Amino acid sequence: MYDDPLSQKKFGLSSILREKYSIPKWLPINAEIQHGWYPSNTFFQNPKISKNKRQLVWSDRMMNACRKSGIKHYYCIGSPFVHYRQKYNIEKKNDAKGTVVFPQHSSEGWNVEVDWIEFITKLKKLEEEFQPITICLYHLDYINVDVRSQFANHFKVVTAGNIYSADFVKNFYRILSSHKYATSNTISTFSFYSTEMGVPFFLTAQEFSYTHKFDSTKIGTGYKEWKASADSEFSNAHKIFPDYPIKNISPAQIEYVDRELGIRSESSRHILWLVLFFSGLKVLIKLSLKELITYFKK
C-alpha cells in the first residue's frame, strides 16, 4: 500500500490535492508541493533543490522564482487550503468573537526565541472589541510545556494538531472561523488564510530570533533580517498588513492576498491531472519493478 512521504503530508496537502485532482491513493504524486507562503524570491536557488524535480507552487510569483532558478517543470495549483475552504463552504461563523493569535513558531530544527511576557502584555491591552484572546500554537510549541504554560496562564490555548495529519486543515478552519479577528507577531501563511476567509488580520509586533536545537554554532534568521532581506516579499507584505488592530479588510489586502495565494493563477486542471497521473504511474512502475527484483533475489 503506497503512503505519501511526510513532505507531501505536511498540513494534509497531499490529501487535499488527491481530492482536488482525483488522484487515487495508490498513485504517487511525483512532485514537490509548496506547503506555505514562501516570502523568499530565491527559494528555489537552494542547491539542495533538484532542477529536475516537478514543483507545484501557488502563485505567478513562485512560478517566476522557479523559472529564474532553472526549475524545468513547474505548475501553479493555487493554495490547496483555499480549495478546501471553498469546496466545503467554510465561512466565518455568525457568532464568531474575539481574536485568534498565531505566535511565530518553532520548527523541527529550530526553537523560536521571543519575549512572550511582553507579547502577552500587548495582547491583553487590545481593546474590548478584540477580546477574548485565543492562542493557536503550532503543534511543536503546544506539546512544549514551557511554551504552552506561558500562554495558558492568561488565555485559552488551542492547536490545529499534528502538522502531518490529514485533519490539520479541518482543525485549522474550525479554529479560525470561530473568531472575528486574527493577529500574530509575524506575517505568515495564516495571515493570508485569515484575510481570504474574511477574518481581518493585523500585526502585534514582537521581535523574534531562532536558536538551533542541536547545534549552538548555527545562527538563525530573525524578524529584522526577514523584513530587511532584499530577496524577500516581507517588505511588501508589511505595507499591506498594519501594526495596529483593524476591523475591516481593505481592497488592497484582498488584491495582495489573492495574488499570493494564486487564486486566479491556477494552471489547467485537466493538463495538471494528466501530468500528475502519468508521472505518478511512471514512479509506481519503477517501485513495482524494484520490489519484484528484490523478491526474486531472495
Side-chain angles (χ1 to χ4, degrees):
M1 185 69 167
Y2 179 77
D3 191 28
D4 292 327
L6 285 180
S7 62
Q8 294 182 350
K9 285 184 176 181
K10 203 166 189 178
F11 307 119
L13 294 178
S14 60
S15 293
I16 300 173
L17 285 185
R18 288 185 180 283
E19 182 180 64
K20 179 178 181 178
Y21 294 105
S22 300
I23 305 170
K25 290 183 178 180
W26 50 264
L27 188 69
I29 298 175
N30 185 19
E32 293 294 330
I33 306 169
Q34 181 177 340
H35 69 264
W37 181 56
Y38 294 172
S40 173
N41 291 313
T42 58
F43 177 86
F44 295 103
Q45 292 180 18
N46 187 326
K48 294 181 179 180
I49 297 177
S50 170
K51 305 301 181 185
N52 296 313
K53 188 69 175 180
R54 189 171 288 101
Q55 299 289 339
L56 304 181
V57 299
W58 292 6
S59 65
D60 288 334
R61 182 172 65 85
M62 284 294 95
M63 285 205 295
N64 190 47
C66 286
R67 191 178 301 115
K68 288 183 175 180
S69 301
I71 300 294
K72 296 180 179 179
H73 307 287
Y74 51 87
Y75 299 88
C76 186
I77 59 172
S79 166
F81 269 42
V82 172
H83 166 78
Y84 180 93
R85 187 194 71 76
Q86 292 175 345
K87 178 178 176 62
Y88 292 100
N89 196 30
I90 303 171
E91 303 288 350
K92 183 165 67 173
K93 296 177 181 177
N94 292 331
D95 61 350
K97 62 181 180 179
T99 303
V100 59
V101 183
F102 300 101
Q104 177 61 20
H105 61 78
S106 302
S107 65
E108 284 82 353
W110 298 87
N111 284 319
V112 64
E113 303 294 336
V114 184
D115 186 341
W116 291 128
I117 295 176
E118 184 176 346
F119 186 56
I120 288 168
T121 300
K122 291 179 179 179
L123 294 174
K124 285 185 172 182
K125 288 182 178 179
L126 290 174
E127 62 181 274
E128 187 63 28
E129 168 71 14
F130 298 92
Q131 305 292 339
I133 298 293
T134 299
I135 306 294
C136 184
L137 290 178
Y138 195 69
H139 193 245
L140 288 176
D141 292 325
Y142 185 81
I143 62 178
N144 183 336
V145 177
D146 291 338
V147 175
R148 189 176 76 243
S149 62
Q150 294 192 63
F151 291 106
N153 290 331
H154 306 275
F155 311 114
K156 178 182 179 181
V157 179
V158 298
T159 182
N162 190 322
I163 64 170
Y164 298 107
S165 169
D167 289 332
F168 182 92
V169 60
K170 177 178 68 176
N171 296 336
F172 173 82
Y173 276 118
R174 174 178 50 80
I175 293 167
L176 180 60
S177 64
S178 299
H179 295 84
K180 289 182 69 175
Y181 308 102
T183 189
S184 175
N185 57 325
T186 190
I187 295 173
S188 192
T189 314
F190 43 71
S191 313
F192 301 92
Y193 293 156
S194 301
T195 304
E196 190 276 331
M197 196 178 72
V199 177
F201 174 86
F202 58 91
L203 278 163
T204 301
Q206 187 67 38
E207 291 185 7
F208 57 82
S209 59
Y210 279 102
T211 56
H212 200 273
K213 290 182 178 180
F214 314 109
D215 186 351
S216 60
T217 63
K218 290 186 177 180
I219 301 174
T221 303
Y223 181 78
K224 286 183 177 179
E225 291 84 358
W226 284 14
K227 189 176 178 181
S229 176
D231 73 11
S232 175
E233 186 66 19
F234 260 106
S235 59
N236 289 329
H238 275 270
K239 297 173 185 176
I240 300 297
F241 294 104
D243 181 18
Y244 53 83
I246 59 172
K247 298 179 181 179
N248 297 290
I249 298 171
S250 70
Q253 288 172 334
I254 294 173
E255 181 182 354
Y256 183 78
V257 166
D258 283 1
R259 187 165 64 246
E260 288 300 297
L261 293 180
I263 289 175
R264 281 176 279 277
S265 302
E266 188 178 332
S267 302
S268 167
R269 290 196 188 188
H270 298 297
I271 292 175
L272 193 49
W273 180 87
L274 289 170
V275 169
L276 293 176
F277 185 85
F278 285 106
S279 64
L281 195 60
K282 183 178 179 180
V283 172
L284 185 65
I285 292 171
K286 287 183 178 179
L287 290 174
S288 299
L289 287 173
K290 186 176 180 180
E291 288 181 3
L292 281 173
I293 293 171
T294 303
Y295 174 80
F296 283 113
K297 280 185 177 180
K298 291 182 180 178

